[in-house]
Amino acid sequence: MSNPANRSSEPKVLISAEKLDERIAEIASEIQNDYQGREIVAICVLKGSFIFFSDVLRKLDLPIHCEFLGVSSYGDKKVSSGEVKVTLDINEPLENKHVILFEDIVDSGLTLSYILANLRARRPASLKTCALLMKPESMRVEVPVEYVGFKIGPEFVIGYGMDYAGKYRGLPYIGYLEPEH
Ligand code: 5GP
């Protein structure tokens, strides 16, 4: 991901609230069709996914157990090291359950790859990932993502749950910060 330091504080819109609404409805309808008649465990990866997670869930008419997984990367904050620390674990056993993991953004793929290995070890009946954003140019590991909201460039993004230095999570759109001149 590119370095967001020294950026102006007024974000520019990359994906509008209207486009987010439309795409969330499409993703929810795909999930609804794929999981018809099944109970699912939906896992929200904190913190960046919390708005995406709740928007998709409110559009699903399925029996759902909600779980929250807190993770943080060790080391350099700007580039994922792939070494992930679980800061909040889920409460529910996953054995024989149908699990969908909700991620805000897949950048190098290292965080997701770690989380999936961790969850697979709990022997779910099935495990799929739903990511709001993917940065294909930044991917360093092959990692399966069954539901993808938008593919974007390597630019650092904020809003709709995602932060920069703890700010901007409440923006209703996905934005980016332009370099200051
Ligand atoms: P990865 O391990 O795939 O490189 O990094 C994934 C995590 O890095 C995401 O879950 C997110 O927390 C953070 N991240 C990656 N790119 C961005 C970005 O453009 N904006 C924000 N706010 N976080 C990002």
Side-chain angles (χ1 to χ4, degrees):
M1 101 191 65
S2 60
N3 186 355
N6 304 321
R7 303 289 170 109
S8 66
S9 57
E10 195 48 52
K12 300 274 183 279
V13 179
L14 181 68
I15 304 172
S16 68
E18 292 73 25
K19 280 198 183 139
L20 283 168
D21 274 356
E22 273 173 34
R23 189 69 192 117
I24 294 315
E26 288 169 2
I27 290 174
S29 127
E30 271 186 65
I31 294 176
Q32 181 74 36
N33 289 335
D34 293 350
Y35 287 85
Q36 206 57 253
R38 280 188 277 175
E39 215 172 271
I40 61 177
V41 179
I43 302 178
C44 173
V45 182
L46 296 173
K47 296 180 187 171
S49 313
F50 75 105
I51 295 181
F52 174 51
F53 182 72
S54 43
D55 278 355
V56 176
L57 255 62
R58 278 181 294 174
K59 292 195 155 46
L60 293 176
D61 183 17
L62 295 168
I64 301 172
H65 294 270
C66 292
E67 291 291 328
F68 297 87
L69 180 68
V71 295
S72 72
S73 285
Y74 288 110
D76 188 339
K77 284 271 178 343
K78 291 183 197 120
V79 180
S80 175
S81 62
E83 288 181 73
V84 177
K85 183 175 158 197
V86 174
T87 55
L88 174 74
D89 206 351
I90 56 177
N91 293 317
E92 180 100 347
L94 299 182
E95 194 158 359
N96 297 324
K97 306 274 176 64
H98 295 289
V99 177
I100 308 178
L101 183 73
F102 288 82
E103 253 290 28
D104 53 354
I105 178 158
V106 181
D107 187 11
S108 67
L110 292 168
T111 304
L112 180 58
S113 168
Y114 175 92
I115 295 173
L116 288 177
N118 178 307
L119 297 180
R120 267 189 217 110
R122 306 179 198 205
R123 306 157 77 84
S126 68
L127 174 60
K128 287 189 182 179
T129 301
C130 177
L132 174 62
L133 302 174
M134 264 184 103
K135 297 181 179 176
E137 293 162 49
S138 312
M139 294 282 285
R140 286 168 55 198
V141 285
E142 283 242 355
V143 65
V145 183
E146 287 79 6
Y147 307 99
V148 179
F150 301 88
K151 291 183 178 168
I152 60 168
E155 187 63 1
F156 190 89
V157 294
I158 50 167
Y160 196 63
M162 292 172 285
D163 76 318
Y164 170 56
K167 286 162 58 182
Y168 305 109
R169 288 194 198 277
L171 289 179
Y173 58 88
I174 292 174
Y176 61 96
L177 300 170
E178 284 201 317
E180 279 190 86
H181 297 293

